[in-house]
Amino acid sequence: MSMDSLELRHECLAERHQDLTRQLDPDELQWWQQAREQLARTAEAIKASVLISQCGRHLRDQPGTDGWSTVQLARALLLAEVVGQQAGGDQVPLLNQLFLWGDDQEKIVLLKALDWLDSRGQCLELALLAGRTSNPQVFAALALDTPYPSRHYPERAFHQLVLKALGMGLDSARVIGLAQRHGVTLNQLAIDLLDEQLAADRTVSPSLPRLIAFDLLSPAQRQRLAGLDRQQRLPREWHEYLASA
Protein backbone atom coordinates (compact mmCIF):
# COMPACT_ATOMS: atom_id res chain seq x y z
CA MET A 1 0.00 0.00 0.00
CA SER A 2 1.30 3.46 -0.94
CA MET A 3 2.00 5.86 1.91
CA ASP A 4 -0.43 8.23 0.20
CA SER A 5 -3.22 5.64 0.17
CA LEU A 6 -6.18 5.82 2.47
CA GLU A 7 -6.76 2.85 4.71
CA LEU A 8 -10.50 2.23 4.83
CA ARG A 9 -12.18 0.39 7.71
CA HIS A 10 -13.53 -2.37 5.45
CA GLU A 11 -15.10 -4.49 8.19
CA CYS A 12 -17.05 -1.54 9.54
CA LEU A 13 -18.15 -0.53 6.03
CA ALA A 14 -19.31 -4.07 5.25
CA GLU A 15 -21.46 -4.08 8.40
CA ARG A 16 -22.92 -0.71 7.49
CA HIS A 17 -23.73 -1.93 3.99
CA GLN A 18 -25.71 -4.80 5.49
CA ASP A 19 -27.51 -2.33 7.76
CA LEU A 20 -28.47 -0.19 4.77
CA THR A 21 -29.76 -2.97 2.54
CA ARG A 22 -32.02 -4.21 5.36
CA GLN A 23 -33.66 -0.76 5.47
CA LEU A 24 -34.39 -0.46 1.74
CA ASP A 25 -37.62 -1.50 0.04
CA PRO A 26 -37.39 -3.35 -3.34
CA ASP A 27 -37.52 -0.17 -5.47
CA GLU A 28 -34.88 1.54 -3.34
CA LEU A 29 -32.69 -1.55 -3.39
CA GLN A 30 -32.89 -1.68 -7.18
CA TRP A 31 -31.78 1.94 -7.47
CA TRP A 32 -29.01 1.34 -4.92
CA GLN A 33 -27.63 -1.61 -6.85
CA GLN A 34 -27.75 0.37 -10.10
CA ALA A 35 -25.91 3.28 -8.47
CA ARG A 36 -23.15 0.96 -7.28
CA GLU A 37 -22.88 -0.58 -10.75
CA GLN A 38 -22.54 2.87 -12.31
CA LEU A 39 -19.72 3.71 -9.93
CA ALA A 40 -18.02 0.41 -10.68
CA ARG A 41 -18.02 1.30 -14.38
CA THR A 42 -17.00 4.96 -13.99
CA ALA A 43 -15.46 5.85 -10.65
CA GLU A 44 -15.09 9.54 -11.40
CA ALA A 45 -15.62 12.45 -9.08
CA ILE A 46 -18.44 13.95 -11.17
CA LYS A 47 -20.35 10.66 -11.37
CA ALA A 48 -19.88 10.07 -7.64
CA SER A 49 -21.08 13.58 -6.84
CA VAL A 50 -24.23 13.11 -8.93
CA LEU A 51 -25.09 9.75 -7.38
CA ILE A 52 -24.42 11.00 -3.85
CA SER A 53 -26.76 13.92 -4.51
CA GLN A 54 -29.45 11.62 -5.95
CA CYS A 55 -29.64 9.52 -2.77
CA GLY A 56 -31.98 12.08 -1.29
CA ARG A 57 -34.44 11.67 -4.19
CA HIS A 58 -34.40 7.88 -4.48
CA LEU A 59 -34.23 6.79 -0.83
CA ARG A 60 -36.53 7.55 2.10
CA ASP A 61 -34.62 9.43 4.76
CA GLN A 62 -35.40 7.17 7.71
CA PRO A 63 -33.71 7.47 11.11
CA GLY A 64 -31.12 4.77 11.66
CA THR A 65 -28.70 3.58 14.29
CA ASP A 66 -25.82 5.56 15.79
CA GLY A 67 -27.08 8.86 14.42
CA TRP A 68 -27.01 7.81 10.75
CA SER A 69 -30.11 8.24 8.61
CA THR A 70 -30.69 6.03 5.57
CA VAL A 71 -29.69 8.74 3.10
CA GLN A 72 -26.59 9.66 5.08
CA LEU A 73 -25.49 6.05 5.26
CA ALA A 74 -26.03 5.51 1.53
CA ARG A 75 -24.01 8.61 0.70
CA ALA A 76 -21.18 7.53 3.00
CA LEU A 77 -21.06 4.07 1.43
CA LEU A 78 -20.95 5.54 -2.08
CA LEU A 79 -18.06 7.71 -0.92
CA ALA A 80 -16.27 4.61 0.33
CA GLU A 81 -16.84 2.80 -2.96
CA VAL A 82 -15.50 5.57 -5.16
CA VAL A 83 -12.52 6.14 -2.86
CA GLY A 84 -11.70 2.44 -2.85
CA GLN A 85 -11.57 2.38 -6.64
CA GLN A 86 -9.00 5.18 -6.94
CA ALA A 87 -5.24 4.84 -7.15
CA GLY A 88 -3.62 5.64 -3.81
CA GLY A 89 -2.38 9.10 -4.71
CA ASP A 90 -5.78 10.11 -6.11
CA GLN A 91 -7.87 9.29 -3.05
CA VAL A 92 -7.27 12.34 -0.89
CA PRO A 93 -7.62 14.80 -3.82
CA LEU A 94 -10.91 13.08 -4.74
CA LEU A 95 -12.31 13.54 -1.23
CA ASN A 96 -11.14 17.16 -1.22
CA GLN A 97 -12.98 17.74 -4.50
CA LEU A 98 -16.17 16.04 -3.34
CA PHE A 99 -16.11 18.08 -0.14
CA LEU A 100 -15.80 21.34 -2.07
CA TRP A 101 -18.60 20.37 -4.46
CA GLY A 102 -20.96 19.07 -1.79
CA ASP A 103 -23.82 20.97 -0.22
CA ASP A 104 -23.98 21.19 3.56
CA GLN A 105 -25.71 17.82 3.93
CA GLU A 106 -23.12 16.12 1.73
CA LYS A 107 -20.28 17.79 3.66
CA ILE A 108 -21.83 16.50 6.89
CA VAL A 109 -21.83 12.94 5.57
CA LEU A 110 -18.22 13.10 4.42
CA LEU A 111 -17.06 14.40 7.79
CA LYS A 112 -19.12 11.87 9.76
CA ALA A 113 -17.62 9.10 7.61
CA LEU A 114 -14.04 10.34 7.68
CA ASP A 115 -12.94 7.82 10.31
CA TRP A 116 -14.31 4.98 8.15
CA LEU A 117 -12.52 6.28 5.07
CA ASP A 118 -9.18 7.26 6.57
CA SER A 119 -7.92 5.26 9.52
CA ARG A 120 -4.36 6.67 9.20
CA GLY A 121 -5.13 10.40 9.26
CA GLN A 122 -4.20 11.19 5.67
CA CYS A 123 -7.13 13.62 5.42
CA LEU A 124 -6.05 15.77 8.36
CA GLU A 125 -5.69 18.90 6.21
CA LEU A 126 -9.21 18.40 4.85
CA ALA A 127 -10.55 18.03 8.40
CA LEU A 128 -8.76 21.18 9.56
CA LEU A 129 -10.14 23.11 6.57
CA ALA A 130 -13.64 21.83 7.28
CA GLY A 131 -13.28 22.94 10.90
CA ARG A 132 -13.23 26.60 9.80
CA THR A 133 -16.93 26.45 8.93
CA SER A 134 -19.39 28.72 10.69
CA ASN A 135 -22.20 26.19 10.18
CA PRO A 136 -22.85 24.44 13.51
CA GLN A 137 -24.29 21.31 11.85
CA VAL A 138 -21.29 20.86 9.57
CA PHE A 139 -18.91 21.52 12.46
CA ALA A 140 -20.78 19.07 14.70
CA ALA A 141 -20.27 16.34 12.10
CA LEU A 142 -16.53 16.83 12.47
CA ALA A 143 -16.34 17.41 16.22
CA LEU A 144 -18.99 15.17 17.80
CA ASP A 145 -19.52 11.41 17.97
CA THR A 146 -16.49 10.61 15.83
CA PRO A 147 -13.01 9.51 16.97
CA TYR A 148 -11.25 11.12 14.00
CA PRO A 149 -10.06 14.33 15.73
CA SER A 150 -8.90 12.53 18.86
CA ARG A 151 -6.99 9.98 16.80
CA HIS A 152 -5.29 12.36 14.40
CA TYR A 153 -5.35 16.01 15.56
CA PRO A 154 -2.24 17.56 17.11
CA GLU A 155 -2.82 18.99 20.57
CA ARG A 156 -3.35 22.63 19.58
CA ALA A 157 -5.82 21.77 16.83
CA PHE A 158 -7.77 19.45 19.12
CA HIS A 159 -8.01 22.14 21.79
CA GLN A 160 -9.26 24.65 19.21
CA LEU A 161 -11.85 22.15 18.02
CA VAL A 162 -13.20 21.63 21.55
CA LEU A 163 -13.32 25.34 22.35
CA LYS A 164 -15.09 26.12 19.08
CA ALA A 165 -17.62 23.38 19.84
CA LEU A 166 -18.39 25.07 23.15
CA GLY A 167 -18.59 28.46 21.44
CA MET A 168 -21.22 27.02 19.09
CA GLY A 169 -23.24 25.68 21.99
CA LEU A 170 -22.39 22.04 21.26
CA ASP A 171 -22.07 19.41 23.99
CA SER A 172 -18.43 18.62 24.73
CA ALA A 173 -19.53 15.31 26.27
CA ARG A 174 -19.98 14.11 22.69
CA VAL A 175 -16.37 14.89 21.75
CA ILE A 176 -14.87 11.41 21.64
CA GLY A 177 -11.51 11.04 23.32
CA LEU A 178 -11.74 14.29 25.28
CA ALA A 179 -10.76 12.64 28.57
CA GLN A 180 -7.58 11.26 26.96
CA ARG A 181 -6.64 14.80 25.89
CA HIS A 182 -7.03 16.34 29.34
CA GLY A 183 -3.99 18.18 30.63
CA VAL A 184 -2.52 21.38 32.01
CA THR A 185 -2.85 23.34 28.76
CA LEU A 186 -6.50 22.48 28.24
CA ASN A 187 -7.16 23.32 31.91
CA GLN A 188 -5.87 26.85 31.38
CA LEU A 189 -7.78 27.33 28.13
CA ALA A 190 -10.99 26.23 29.86
CA ILE A 191 -10.44 28.57 32.81
CA ASP A 192 -9.64 31.44 30.43
CA LEU A 193 -12.92 30.77 28.62
CA LEU A 194 -14.74 30.67 31.96
CA ASP A 195 -13.28 34.06 32.87
CA GLU A 196 -14.30 35.48 29.49
CA GLN A 197 -17.87 34.27 29.83
CA LEU A 198 -18.20 35.58 33.38
CA ALA A 199 -16.63 38.94 32.49
CA ALA A 200 -19.06 39.34 29.59
CA ASP A 201 -21.95 38.30 31.86
CA ARG A 202 -22.72 35.40 29.53
CA THR A 203 -24.06 32.00 30.53
CA VAL A 204 -21.21 29.63 31.30
CA SER A 205 -21.12 26.74 28.81
CA PRO A 206 -22.78 23.82 30.64
CA SER A 207 -20.20 21.29 29.47
CA LEU A 208 -17.17 23.50 30.19
CA PRO A 209 -16.17 21.51 33.34
CA ARG A 210 -15.69 18.43 31.15
CA LEU A 211 -12.64 20.13 29.61
CA ILE A 212 -10.88 20.36 32.98
CA ALA A 213 -8.77 17.70 34.63
CA PHE A 214 -9.46 18.90 38.17
CA ASP A 215 -6.76 16.67 39.65
CA LEU A 216 -4.17 18.45 37.46
CA LEU A 217 -5.10 22.00 38.45
CA SER A 218 -2.18 24.18 39.42
CA PRO A 219 -2.37 25.93 42.83
CA ALA A 220 -3.14 29.23 41.06
CA GLN A 221 -5.89 27.65 38.98
CA ARG A 222 -7.39 25.95 42.02
CA GLN A 223 -7.29 29.21 43.93
CA ARG A 224 -9.00 31.03 41.05
CA LEU A 225 -11.87 28.55 40.93
CA ALA A 226 -12.22 28.49 44.71
CA GLY A 227 -12.45 32.28 44.72
CA LEU A 228 -15.16 32.29 42.07
CA ASP A 229 -17.00 29.65 44.07
CA ARG A 230 -16.88 31.74 47.25
CA GLN A 231 -18.25 34.69 45.27
CA GLN A 232 -21.08 32.41 44.11
CA ARG A 233 -20.21 33.13 40.51
CA LEU A 234 -19.70 29.50 39.51
CA PRO A 235 -22.71 27.51 38.31
CA ARG A 236 -24.01 25.10 40.94
CA GLU A 237 -22.85 21.98 39.07
CA TRP A 238 -19.23 23.06 39.46
CA HIS A 239 -19.33 22.43 43.21
CA GLU A 240 -19.16 18.67 42.92
CA TYR A 241 -16.22 18.86 40.53
CA LEU A 242 -14.29 21.08 42.94
CA ALA A 243 -15.26 18.95 45.96
CA SER A 244 -13.99 15.76 44.32
CA ALA A 245 -10.70 17.25 43.08
Side-chain angles (χ1 to χ4, degrees):
M1 178 183 293
S2 165
M3 289 300 294
D4 294 331
S5 298
L6 298 182
E7 188 172 318
L8 282 70
R9 299 188 188 278
H10 294 288
E11 184 176 341
C12 176
L13 290 165
E15 292 175 0
R16 292 295 186 162
H17 189 269
Q18 292 177 355
D19 291 341
L20 177 66
T21 55
R22 283 195 291 265
Q23 297 175 50
L24 302 182
D25 66 27
D27 289 338
E28 291 172 323
L29 188 57
Q30 181 180 15
W31 178 84
W32 173 246
Q33 291 169 340
Q34 291 172 347
R36 296 184 69 202
E37 290 167 2
Q38 289 182 54
L39 269 190
R41 290 194 299 269
T42 311
E44 297 177 350
I46 292 176
K47 174 57 70 176
S49 179
V50 170
L51 290 172
I52 287 167
S53 175
Q54 288 178 348
C55 286
R57 296 201 297 273
H58 293 278
L59 305 177
R60 294 164 298 157
D61 199 15
Q62 306 174 83
T65 58
D66 300 329
W68 287 88
S69 73
T70 306
V71 169
Q72 285 182 330
L73 188 52
R75 286 173 168 167
L77 292 171
L78 288 180
L79 275 173
E81 295 217 12
V82 72
V83 166
Q85 294 175 42
Q86 307 300 312
D90 296 333
Q91 292 174 321
V92 173
L94 173 75
L95 279 181
N96 289 338
Q97 188 64 67
L98 290 174
F99 182 81
L100 291 174
W101 285 346
D103 62 21
D104 284 345
Q105 293 306 311
E106 291 160 11
K107 285 180 167 65
I108 285 169
V109 166
L110 190 153
L111 295 173
K112 281 167 65 80
L114 205 51
D115 190 63
W116 299 349
L117 304 174
D118 175 29
S119 65
R120 296 193 294 130
Q122 299 290 95
C123 293
L124 177 59
E125 290 303 319
L126 171 59
L128 294 174
L129 173 65
R132 298 173 188 167
T133 181
S134 58
N135 184 317
Q137 291 181 315
V138 174
F139 188 78
L142 174 68
L144 307 183
D145 305 320
T146 170
Y148 194 87
S150 178
R151 284 174 170 161
H152 305 298
Y153 274 38
E155 182 179 75
R156 178 181 172 86
F158 187 82
H159 291 168
Q160 290 173 337
L161 178 97
V162 175
L163 293 174
K164 183 168 180 176
L166 285 182
M168 287 186 162
L170 303 176
D171 182 4
S172 68
R174 294 172 58 193
V175 178
I176 293 179
L178 177 58
Q180 289 71 40
R181 293 292 194 122
H182 276 162
V184 175
T185 302
L186 188 55
N187 278 359
Q188 189 58 53
L189 291 171
I191 292 172
D192 289 345
L193 178 58
L194 171 66
D195 282 335
E196 290 174 15
Q197 292 178 338
L198 291 174
D201 202 24
R202 301 202 311 267
T203 300
V204 174
S205 301
S207 56
L208 184 54
R210 296 182 184 275
L211 273 62
I212 300 176
F214 284 85
D215 57 332
L216 296 178
L217 288 170
S218 70
Q221 292 169 340
R222 194 178 299 277
Q223 184 177 5
R224 173 61 178 156
L225 292 178
L228 291 171
D229 192 34
R230 287 194 299 272
Q231 297 167 28
Q232 299 184 336
R233 298 182 65 196
L234 282 182
R236 183 172 301 175
E237 62 268 20
W238 283 66
H239 300 326
E240 60 184 84
Y241 289 102
L242 288 171
S244 62

